[in-house]
Amino acid sequence: MEVRTAASPKDVKHYTTDRLREEFLIQDLFIPGEIKLVYSHIDRIITGAAVPVEPLTLTAGAELRANYFLERREMGIINVGGKGTVTVDGKVYTLDYKDGMYIGKGAEDIVFASIDGADPAKFYLNSAPAHTSYPTVAIKMEGEASEDTVIIKDENKVELGCLEESNHRVINKYILPGQVESCQLVMGMTALKPGSVWNTMPCHTHDRRMEVYLYFEMPEDAFVMHYMGEPQETRHLAVRNEEAVISPSWSIHAGSGSRAYTFIWGMVGENQEFTDMDAVENKELR
């Protein structure tokens, strides 16, 4: 598990491109046959991925000082690869492409597997400290709800923006109060419509929580220019397919791509209220 420390905005505005990428960009997440994890001191979030060619078991590692990974944590998962399964304390959950999952604090044995090792699942995960346990459930866009499967509500499939402003997009909220309960993790996925390239614009900050973006569904030669930093001290990172960016609470987090793309967002912090943000007008950006 890689460990990254927090960063002050006073320092970040002096960083070179290489230093910005070292601190905030997560590359090579989806490695076949491996689980990769990055632990950030920013709200103690863990960002990672499991790509099981053969079954992979999630362990705590020395960095957590825990008997098992979710002894004091919760976790959200979204599959961005082939069909796979997540087994939680002996119960098997099957996840297709873009299916999600929430696993509550106290789950001990977690095993990732692919239905076809030649087309492995790509389980993207965010994990946050948790003080109590909520039910473990699969999360799907469509289908029938059951005791262990939640279907995303229509009100949590939000269409925003317009083609004229190049930001026509659909926000799908997976983990949030009123749908899938958690201690602090809020997680979802936003898909841009063809012809749109801007996400989260006009942009914002939210002092009460941080956020991580995973960009995907881009061809090899495409990229997103991810903008970060204080609104009057913006910086940028060129982000490729299946790379993630850590965003501190004081930083804006927005991007413009060379073409349309999809991204997964995960938020951790004090407040789960989705609309609790501090808007930044376009004319204020520098």
Side-chain angles (χ1 to χ4, degrees):
M1 188 185 302
E2 179 187 348
V3 178
R4 300 193 189 185
T5 56
S8 164
K10 293 180 181 179
D11 296 329
V12 169
K13 65 183 180 181
H14 300 295
Y15 286 180
T16 64
T17 296
D18 284 345
R19 181 69 187 280
L20 277 175
R21 293 173 69 85
E22 178 185 350
E23 295 290 342
F24 300 108
L25 182 64
I26 304 175
Q27 297 179 290
D28 301 319
L29 261 174
F30 298 93
I31 303 173
E34 294 186 21
I35 297 174
K36 177 170 180 174
L37 302 170
V38 176
Y39 182 114
S40 173
H41 284 189
I42 302 173
D43 282 315
R44 304 285 169 175
I45 193 171
I46 294 176
T47 302
V51 185
V53 177
E54 299 292 336
L56 295 171
T57 300
L58 182 64
T59 58
E63 294 83 359
L64 293 186
R65 305 295 194 271
N67 293 312
Y68 51 94
F69 192 89
L70 295 184
E71 184 177 18
R72 300 184 298 269
R73 288 184 158 267
E74 60 187 357
M75 183 164 64
I77 299 169
I78 296 178
N79 181 16
V80 297
K83 189 174 185 178
T85 63
V86 181
T87 303
V88 181
D89 290 338
K91 184 175 178 60
V92 179
Y93 298 82
T94 300
L95 302 185
D96 285 304
Y97 185 61
K98 292 184 179 178
D99 284 349
M101 188 171 181
Y102 172 80
I103 306 177
K105 170 184 174 290
E108 293 191 34
D109 298 315
I110 300 171
V111 180
F112 300 103
S114 297
I115 300 300
D116 179 2
D119 180 25
K122 294 180 177 179
F123 296 113
Y124 174 71
L125 64 90
N126 287 166
S127 174
H131 59 270
T132 192
S133 181
Y134 288 97
T136 294
V137 292
I139 308 165
K140 297 179 181 289
M141 294 272 198
E142 308 289 345
E144 295 294 327
S146 66
E147 183 180 357
D148 57 10
T149 301
V150 171
I151 306 303
I152 296 175
K153 297 177 180 180
D154 289 341
E155 60 262 35
N156 289 328
K157 301 173 183 177
V158 182
E159 191 167 347
L160 291 176
C162 60
L163 187 58
E164 289 76 12
E165 295 183 355
S166 303
N167 64 356
H168 190 195
R169 61 200 190 274
V170 177
I171 302 174
N172 295 284
K173 304 172 186 178
Y174 284 58
I175 302 170
L176 78 166
Q179 179 170 274
V180 175
E181 301 296 329
S182 68
C183 285
Q184 61 168 316
L185 178 64
V186 179
M187 195 172 181
M189 180 176 64
T190 299
L192 273 70
K193 298 289 188 178
S196 287
V197 297
W198 279 101
N199 72 66
T200 323
M201 185 57 66
C203 63
H204 60 265
T205 61
H206 27 67
D207 280 344
R208 287 151 294 282
R209 59 179 182 262
M210 60 83 68
E211 192 160 7
V212 176
Y213 278 7
L214 171 77
Y215 292 101
F216 71 109
E217 290 194 323
M218 293 188 289
E220 185 177 353
D221 62 345
F223 68 94
V224 171
M225 199 64 75
H226 179 92
Y227 302 100
M228 61 166 296
E230 295 174 289
Q232 285 73 49
E233 280 283 353
T234 57
R235 301 292 185 269
H236 66 270
L237 294 166
V239 183
R240 309 292 173 175
N241 189 49
E242 296 182 347
E243 295 182 343
V245 181
I246 300 169
S247 179
S249 57
W250 47 263
S251 175
I252 66 166
H253 36 283
S256 59
S258 58
R259 53 163 295 157
Y261 52 90
T262 303
F263 67 101
I264 294 171
W265 41 269
M267 297 185 284
V268 171
E270 184 171 333
N271 196 333
Q272 291 182 299
E273 191 68 35
F274 186 84
T275 56
D276 181 13
M277 59 187 73
D278 301 306
V280 179
E281 294 186 27
N282 288 345
K283 64 183 180 181
E284 296 176 0
L285 289 173
R286 290 182 55 186

